Amino acid sequence: MKNLIQQVINWAEESNLVNSVDIQPESLMLIAKFGKLSQAISKGSNCREESVNCLINLIIICRMKNFSLADYLGKH
């Protein structure tokens, strides 16, 4: 998992998606993606893509706030 998280962080930084000054758009995007995940689950659809999209946004938000999701997951 730490490897995946680091790959997402590297990609987000290379793509200039990590901007700690303006976290609100990324947070709103996460909420929208959770909505799509919820819809997929309620329809009984395969929700793999929606789940991955939520995880990617969560990783980016954690990076924007200088919070290590990998470290947190390792403790629990």
Side-chain angles (χ1 to χ4, degrees):
M1 185 63 135
K2 283 187 177 188
N3 220 12
L4 171 68
I5 291 171
Q6 191 57 53
Q7 288 175 347
V8 170
I9 290 170
N10 291 343
W11 168 79
E13 288 177 347
E14 289 170 4
S15 302
N16 292 321
L17 298 175
V18 178
N19 179 0
S20 59
V21 175
D22 195 10
I23 197 168
Q24 185 176 2
E26 198 69 32
S27 300
L28 293 173
M29 191 179 305
L30 177 61
I31 292 167
K33 289 183 179 182
F34 270 129
K36 289 181 181 181
L37 174 60
S38 190
Q39 286 176 342
I41 290 170
S42 69
K43 291 178 182 176
S45 303
N46 181 342
C47 58
R48 182 175 183 220
E49 183 177 342
E50 291 82 1
S51 298
V52 170
N53 287 338
C54 289
L55 180 60
I56 288 170
N57 277 93
L58 185 58
I59 291 168
I60 293 170
I61 289 169
C62 288
R63 174 63 186 95
M64 292 171 92
K65 296 303 269 180
N66 294 317
F67 174 79
S68 173
L69 182 61
D71 289 347
Y72 178 78
L73 292 174
K75 293 179 183 178
H76 295 86

